[in-house]
Amino acid sequence: AKLINEPLVVFVCATTGQGDPPDNMKMFWRFLFRKNLPPNSLCHLDYAVLGLGDSSYPKFNFVAKKLHKRVLQLGGNPLLPVALGDDQHDLGADAVIDPWLVALWDKILALYPLTPGLEIISQDVCLPPKYTLHYLAEDSSHPDGGLLQPTAPRAVASELHPFAARVVSNQRVTAESHFQDVRLIEFNVTGSGITFSAGDVVMIQAQNCPEDVQQFCQLLRLDPDRQFVLKPTEPGTSLPALLPQPCTIRHLVTHYLDISCVPRRSFFELLSYFATNELEREKLQEFSSAQGQEELYSYCNRPRRTTLETLWDFPHTTCAIPPDYLLDLIPRIRPRAFSIASSLLAHPDRIQILVAVVRYKTRLSKPRRGLCSTWLASLNPEQGSDVRVPLWVKKGGMKFPADPDIPVIMIGPGTGVAPFRAAIQERVAQGREGNYLFFGCRQKSKDFYCQTEWEELVTKGFLTLFTAFSRDQEDKVYVQHRIQENRRLVWELLSSRNAHIYLAG
């Protein structure tokens, strides 16, 4: 609603799903596309749109293009053509963003000259940090406000108020001899107020492992037990959600800083300001320049080098990083999404997920590990301790038919079968038949998830199951071969019975 009074706006927007606006844009999107907005409502607005997309998707930068058109329709004055950043480019979105930004600042400065006495801040000047850390006296006794303390939920579990769910079981569902470790993990959500239906997604807030946290603190010469409070540099800046005040360094590094992500170009740019060693500074400046992007890609992205490993490679600079800049330098740990693999009707007050533990080799000697899946796999509820995971639930993109007579054809190879396990449990509890599942994996004896459960349902007449075990015979057989073999049935379900088809995996 305030947009009508803004003279100049730069929109930066991504696209999610099948060309949808991101979650935090949905309200704005609906507002902007209201039919009753007068066609000249934004005639005072100068604007520019930058899209962040990926050209491997059919609706490439759909939101940016549509937003640009809509603001134009409402009378806005575009400073530049819409910029379409593309993750598929060798240099990533920066290939488009770099020249676009230069042109944008030229336009803005021509239209909105600086007031006399103000200068443009030179690129050589390091900007102040967003927050400053104020250490508390060593003897002050503030308990470390933990994320994972089971608290009485103030509101429905959400990203700002995750529910600390107890891990009930953590069971490996692939044979020990199988190369991939896949887990069926169950959480107890009693008292959380969480409800969900088949197709919904559980969001999990992961944490760094203690060894990495310890290494990071040693490298930066930080005392993990020191307590601090954060103060914003600019008045009006809100403090980061989920960080208790006061907080310990250990809590900040464990629960907040994503030290295992692959660092971005901006990381090297900021780091270069703290370099005391000439060689390190030159390398950091090269990595943050437009010309050095090929080099950076080979050093960082191709081998999936983590932020922590990168800091090891720049030891002189790393020990000179001012703690105030930690939150500018390292992004926060983003929550990870998992399809819910169970139904509340079959397992009240429980959420189950099927997790493939991410582990792979690059040319770096140490195997790469997924932050969240590795952490989840390490949680052992049988050790008697109260093992808890912060989580909340979001609506998923899959909706199953309300009409009990509509059959569903589900194609879920590998862990893609997770949302269909939830759907089948839900539909069976409601007495619905007409469930057809195409499941594929490598070997019947090694990674046939939920085999006993499926076979019982087949016996009871609730499920028609087609399996494809790709490595159990000479020629590889996949779900598409099974669909082709059963094409008459599939076509009959679609043409005569209005079946819905779902694909995940």
Side-chain angles (χ1 to χ4, degrees), residues 16-243:
T16 61
Q18 300 299 314
D20 301 314
D23 279 357
N24 63 355
M25 190 184 187
K26 284 185 171 142
M27 298 262 295
F28 173 65
W29 197 248
R30 283 199 293 269
F31 172 76
L32 204 62
F33 283 89
R34 279 190 358 207
K35 295 272 192 295
N36 60 357
L37 291 179
N40 63 346
S41 25
L42 297 179
C43 59
H44 300 301
L45 179 72
D46 289 331
Y47 75 98
V49 177
L50 165 60
L52 301 174
D54 182 318
S55 57
S56 66
Y57 285 86
K59 294 193 169 179
F60 171 54
N61 267 316
F62 184 74
V63 173
K65 293 171 186 169
K66 197 167 169 184
L67 175 67
H68 181 69
K69 269 193 185 147
R70 179 60 174 155
V71 180
L72 195 60
Q73 262 182 357
L74 295 171
N77 164 47
L79 298 180
L80 292 171
V82 57
L84 305 176
D86 183 9
D87 244 7
Q88 290 298 316
H89 193 284
D90 288 346
L91 305 181
D94 287 345
V96 165
I97 295 172
D98 282 355
W100 185 80
L101 272 179
V102 173
L104 179 69
W105 285 120
D106 284 349
K107 284 271 186 181
I108 289 175
L109 283 165
L111 287 169
Y112 302 87
L114 290 180
T115 49
L118 284 183
E119 291 292 314
I120 289 174
I121 301 171
S122 150
Q123 289 291 348
D124 316 328
V125 176
C126 182
L127 296 172
K130 191 169 182 181
Y131 305 103
T132 47
L133 267 71
H134 296 265
Y135 284 121
L136 301 179
E138 302 236 4
D139 54 359
S140 60
S141 62
H142 283 279
D144 182 14
L147 249 189
L148 297 178
Q149 301 312 311
T151 50
R154 280 162 290 182
V156 174
S158 64
E159 187 161 5
L160 295 180
H161 303 292
F163 178 75
R166 191 166 57 80
V167 180
V168 179
S169 62
N170 182 348
Q171 175 195 350
R172 181 173 171 137
V173 290
T174 42
E176 287 300 331
S177 59
H178 191 56
F179 75 97
Q180 176 126 55
D181 179 359
V182 177
R183 303 298 179 103
L184 182 67
I185 302 178
E186 180 172 55
F187 304 102
N188 182 340
V189 292
T190 306
S192 65
I194 288 175
T195 59
F196 57 88
S197 45
D200 287 349
V201 169
V202 64
M203 306 297 293
I204 290 180
Q205 189 64 50
Q207 60 185 60
N208 291 307
C209 71
E211 298 81 353
D212 285 359
V213 172
Q214 189 183 350
Q215 269 192 22
F216 180 87
C217 291
Q218 280 171 348
L219 270 175
L220 274 84
R221 302 181 182 172
L222 296 166
D223 171 2
D225 297 315
R226 262 325 270 284
Q227 297 197 320
F228 64 88
V229 289
L230 276 185
K231 303 247 169 95
T233 309
E234 299 270 334
T237 305
S238 54
L239 289 169
L242 291 186
L243 265 191

Side-chain angles (χ1 to χ4, degrees), residues 367-485:
R368 309 291 87 196
R369 292 171 180 274
L371 171 69
C372 191
S373 61
T374 306
W375 173 60
L376 287 172
S378 75
L379 302 175
N380 183 359
E382 284 163 24
Q383 286 175 335
S385 58
D386 195 15
V387 182
R388 290 186 180 260
V389 167
L391 53 77
W392 64 98
V393 165
K394 272 175 70 172
K395 273 272 151 260
M398 277 196 255
K399 305 233 180 337
F400 292 88
D403 180 344
D405 296 327
I406 292 182
V408 291
I409 301 168
M410 296 163 275
I411 306 156
T415 52
V417 80
F420 302 138
R421 184 172 179 259
I424 291 166
Q425 285 183 1
E426 193 163 288
R427 289 171 62 83
V428 168
Q430 294 161 340
R432 297 183 180 191
E433 294 166 3
N435 303 307
Y436 297 83
L437 175 65
F438 288 86
F439 173 75
C441 64
R442 284 174 174 239
Q443 289 159 302
K444 183 175 183 175
S445 60
K446 298 208 169 155
D447 54 340
F448 186 2
Y449 311 135
C450 316
Q451 178 180 357
T452 330
E453 192 174 335
W454 302 139
E455 288 169 351
E456 271 179 29
L457 290 172
V458 170
T459 312
K460 291 177 180 166
F462 276 111
L463 179 66
T464 307
L465 176 68
F466 303 96
T467 52
F469 305 113
S470 63
R471 308 297 197 277
D472 275 350
Q473 60 287 306
E474 201 54 32
D475 296 326
K476 290 188 180 151
V477 175
Y478 297 114
V479 284
Q480 59 266 36
H481 298 121
R482 295 290 182 238
I483 293 168
Q484 192 165 23
E485 287 163 18

